[in-house]
Amino acid sequence: MKFFASTARITAVASLTCIAALLPGIASAQNGYPSKPIRVIVPFAAGSTTDIIARAITDKMGASMGQPLVIDNRGGASGTIGQQAVATAAPDGYTLMIHSSSHTVSPSTFAKLPFDTVHDFAGITPISSLPNALVISPSKNIKTLPQLLAAARAKPGSMNFASAGQGSATHLNAEKFKLAAKIDATNIPFKGSGEAVTEVLSGRVDYYFSPIAPVIGQIKEGQLLALAVGSPKRAAALPDVPTTTEAGVPGSEFNFWIGMMAPAKTPRDIVERLHAEVAKALATPEVKERFAKLGADPWTLKPAQFDAYIKEEIASNADLVKAAGLSVQQ
């Protein structure tokens, strides 16, 4: 009898343990998520490409989910300030992050991070891929990419380029271009695309591999000249602008993306719900039209696929950082 009583107790404890493991998912499903506003941290300044895309998608998601998604800009340190805020937030679905592919660069450009890029975040989905346009001020009197290369080679080390922060995706795009083109130019980092574009417009900085969103207006108005796009194929928003490969620099392609993540251990049903809401918003005519004007291509992956993609890109960016000889920030 004692044996059967002990067996019953063990079975009961095991059952309770299983139920406890499922409680986060059960609770989130039964509590009517979301029941309050959701904070979305963008690790760059307002007006940056990531911020523009974040606002385009969260407006529609909020309307669908019945609660606003409130943007919280946490710029600085190449996005790591915002990343840390999300990594240490409660994994309850009420703190999210919309970040760029800079997320996969920082592990290679910082000697030590206050978070683990792989294990402290749960991927929800990419939102879009955006070709970077190599833009320059017309005052530089350089009208084609071959002319830029000729000027850079005539006076090695005399040129500089803007980036949205040391180790950001825009920085890595420019470094990959430098390696492929075999030129020497100096990175001038800024807190975001807004400052970078301003400096290129003024002519104080020579060029910038900018996501199309913050420069499409200046390009169309003739304030900036797009010499090429860094993507594998031409941008729909700039169909007459060649890729860097077409313009004579093979091996310079770089994929710039923006995606949504949550703190690790966020209940999977919440992650799946957010993935579905992003996909739903991307399918609406309003978001499609807005993305088209920004030169952004909608892009989604299942959460597990996005996590795997992030791991692969961290490895490939580490190789690029090493090949470019970039210094690691302490």
Side-chain angles (χ1 to χ4, degrees):
M1 293 296 291
K2 288 182 179 180
F3 171 78
F4 289 111
S6 297
T7 301
R9 281 197 296 271
I10 291 170
T11 302
V13 170
S15 298
L16 288 172
T17 302
C18 291
I19 292 171
L22 293 173
L23 279 177
I26 294 172
S28 61
Q30 292 180 346
N31 287 343
Y33 172 83
S35 59
K36 62 182 181 180
I38 299 170
R39 180 177 60 148
V40 181
I41 291 178
V42 174
F44 297 109
S48 64
T49 304
T50 307
D51 178 72
I52 293 169
I53 293 296
R55 293 177 189 277
I57 194 79
T58 53
D59 287 349
K60 212 65 179 170
M61 289 178 66
S64 173
M65 298 178 76
Q67 290 289 344
L69 276 70
V70 182
I71 300 295
D72 181 358
N73 295 99
R74 298 283 187 95
S78 299
T80 58
I81 292 174
Q83 286 171 287
Q84 183 180 7
V86 176
T88 56
D92 56 7
Y94 290 99
T95 300
L96 307 176
M97 176 171 72
I98 293 182
H99 199 0
S100 73
S101 42
S102 296
H103 182 69
T104 63
V105 176
S106 54
S108 300
T109 54
F110 284 83
K112 185 177 181 180
L113 291 171
F115 52 83
D116 186 305
T117 309
V118 172
H119 297 106
D120 287 345
F121 300 91
I124 295 170
T125 181
I127 296 170
S128 68
S129 60
L130 300 95
N132 282 336
L134 195 170
V135 294
I136 191 169
S137 169
S139 65
K140 297 290 182 179
N141 294 317
I142 292 175
K143 301 185 184 300
T144 66
L145 190 61
Q147 288 179 3
L148 175 71
L149 297 177
R153 290 165 181 159
K155 295 182 179 180
S158 64
M159 277 197 166
N160 55 35
F161 61 88
S163 73
Q166 178 76 13
S168 66
T170 56
H171 180 199
L172 264 286
N173 193 158
E175 292 291 348
K176 190 172 185 181
F177 172 76
K178 273 176 54 181
L179 285 171
K182 297 180 174 60
I183 61 171
D184 185 17
T186 302
N187 174 41
I188 309 296
F190 296 96
K191 289 184 179 180
S193 286
E195 290 183 6
V197 171
T198 297
E199 293 304 300
V200 174
L201 279 166
S202 70
R204 288 187 290 269
V205 177
D206 292 315
Y207 64 91
Y208 176 37
F209 271 94
S210 173
I212 290 177
V215 293
I216 188 67
Q218 291 94 330
I219 291 171
K220 290 184 176 180
E221 292 170 5
Q223 296 174 314
L224 287 172
L225 181 63
L227 302 184
V229 292
S231 49
K233 62 180 182 179
R234 293 194 181 197
L238 299 170
D240 297 328
V241 177
T243 66
T244 50
T245 295
E246 290 175 330
V249 188
S252 55
E253 303 88 355
F254 189 90
N255 183 36
F256 181 86
W257 54 264
I258 290 169
M260 180 178 284
M261 285 154 266
K265 299 182 181 179
T266 297
R268 294 308 294 178
D269 63 324
I270 288 181
V271 170
E272 295 290 347
R273 167 77 186 281
L274 289 164
H275 174 274
E277 291 291 346
V278 171
K280 186 193 300 184
L282 289 174
T284 62
E286 297 89 343
V287 172
K288 285 182 177 180
E289 181 180 358
R290 195 166 182 184
F291 271 36
K293 290 180 180 178
L294 295 171
D297 297 321
W299 180 35
T300 61
L301 290 172
K302 292 290 186 180
Q305 292 176 316
F306 191 29
D307 284 333
Y309 180 85
I310 286 171
K311 288 181 182 179
E312 292 172 3
E313 194 165 272
I314 287 172
S316 63
N317 282 333
D319 292 338
L320 175 56
V321 167
K322 184 177 180 180
L326 300 184
S327 59
V328 176
Q329 299 182 62
Q330 300 301 319

